[in-house]
């Protein structure tokens, strides 16, 4: 038996996450006996034990751990497929016009984004582009679950695993400091200069839902970060294009030894969307015309 039904996966994932048939049944809006029978039938069909049941409760077997991981990914993929299909057919908008959702980091690559939107809008039969601003490092998850069709992502901060992508541009990094801080008067800085400043700890933002250790403040959004820098509470390292959102209370100083940040346009590897292909073509042509580096990275 090499196929699984979406319903079976949904049932199993609920039980595996709750580790309790009663709570899983309540979550699914069904009675417990048919849920138990469905899981037993799934185990017979697939030929392995997925759950160990005893008086103390329910526990996943090794095979169950694998199916939980794979099942979540499969359910996410079906949800993403439905979302993208509805957008492609215009079912989620009056008038039924084809639409693409482009995920971008808030305030990131502003010049590139504006020029890309203008260039693509001039193309014949261009789809409507909805720009979806994201928090720090959120583009990857939003692209995987179908809330977006395409994303501007920044290596090494975003993972491109599982996506096709084109490199659009590379840029240096800067330290964004309070304008009145002594380091703000320097022409250049090194990463060591800003990594251990007693009165100015580095800002921290989440990667895959967790914050790295350190004394700096936990950052939730761009506005919070901008205010904390202006108040002299933190320093941040950003791509040079971040200068576009600086306040008068900020100063950006180039970092001489920071690795370059490479902006990619990324999309699901299996996509066959003609509208998406047109947007990617426009992006690569735009960057070549402006002399920015482009290289296949899928």
């Amino acid at each position: 038996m090499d196929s699984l039904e979406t319903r079976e996966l949904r049932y199993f994932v609920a039980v595996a996450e709750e580790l309790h048939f009663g709570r899983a049944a309540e979550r699914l809006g069904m009675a417990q006996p048919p849920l138990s029978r469905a899981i037993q039938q799934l185990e017979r069909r697939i030929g392995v034990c997925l759950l160990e049941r005893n008086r103390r409760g329910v526990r996943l077997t090794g095979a169950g751990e694998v199916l939980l991981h794979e099942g979540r990914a499969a359910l996410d993929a079906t949800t993403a497929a439905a979302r993208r299909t509805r957008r492609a057919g215009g079912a989620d908008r009056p008038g039924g016009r084809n639409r693409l959702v482009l995920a971008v980091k808030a305030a990131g690559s502003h010049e590139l984004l504006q020029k890309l939107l203008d260039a693509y809008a001039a193309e014949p039969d261009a789809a409507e582009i909805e720009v979806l601003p994201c928090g720090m490092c959120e583009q990857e998850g939003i692209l995987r679950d179908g809330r977006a069709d395409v994303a501007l992502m920044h290596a090494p901060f975003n993972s491109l695993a599982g996506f096709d992508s084109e490199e659009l541009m590379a840029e240096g990094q800067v330290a964004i400091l309070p304008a009145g801080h002594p380091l703000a008067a320097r022409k250049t800085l090194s990463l060591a200069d800003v990594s251990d400043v007693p009165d100015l700890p580095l800002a921290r933002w989440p990667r895959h839902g967790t914050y790295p250790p350190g004394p700096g403040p936990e950052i939730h959004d761009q506005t919070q970060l901008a205010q904390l820098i202006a108040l002299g509470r933190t320093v941040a390292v950003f791509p040079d294009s971040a200068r576009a959102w600086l306040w008068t209370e900020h100063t950006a100083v180039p970092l001489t030894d920071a690795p370059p940040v490479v902006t990619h346009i990324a999309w699901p590897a299996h996509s066959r969307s003609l509208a998406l292909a047109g947007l990617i073509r426009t992006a690569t042509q735009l960057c070549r015309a402006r002399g920015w580096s482009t290289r296949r990275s899928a």
Side-chain angles (χ1 to χ4, degrees), residues 229-291:
I229 294 174
L231 291 171
R233 302 301 177 88
T234 191
V235 61
V237 174
F238 266 79
D240 188 72
S241 56
R243 294 175 185 269
W245 58 263
L246 295 190
W247 299 359
T248 56
E249 295 90 346
H250 302 153
T251 296
V253 181
L255 292 167
T256 57
D257 58 348
V261 175
V262 182
T263 299
H264 301 254
I265 187 167
W267 65 96
H270 58 270
S271 176
R272 296 295 181 269
S273 167
L274 295 179
L276 176 56
L279 178 64
I280 295 161
R281 183 172 58 252
T282 298
T284 55
Q285 290 174 347
L286 171 67
C287 291
R288 289 191 184 106
R290 293 186 62 83

Side-chain angles (χ1 to χ4, degrees), residues 153-191:
M153 297 170 70
H154 311 281
F157 307 115
N158 300 127
S159 172
L160 297 168
F163 299 121
D164 280 350
S165 65
E166 288 280 356
E167 180 182 311
L168 298 182
M169 61 177 288
E171 58 185 318
Q173 298 194 65
V174 295
I176 302 177
L177 301 136
H181 194 276
L183 289 177
R186 299 268 295 272
K187 295 290 186 182
T188 61
L189 292 167
S190 68
L191 286 170

Side-chain angles (χ1 to χ4, degrees), residues 107-155:
S109 304
H110 177 77
E111 180 185 6
L112 169 62
L113 177 60
Q114 187 60 63
K115 292 186 180 301
L116 172 57
L117 294 175
D118 290 344
Y120 181 67
E123 293 291 324
D125 301 320
E128 177 185 356
I129 301 295
E130 178 183 332
V131 177
L132 179 59
C134 306
M136 304 291 183
C137 301
E138 288 183 347
Q139 304 99 302
E140 177 187 348
I142 288 172
L143 188 56
R144 290 193 194 282
D145 70 14
R147 284 177 286 168
D149 304 286
V150 59
L152 293 183
M153 297 170 70
H154 311 281

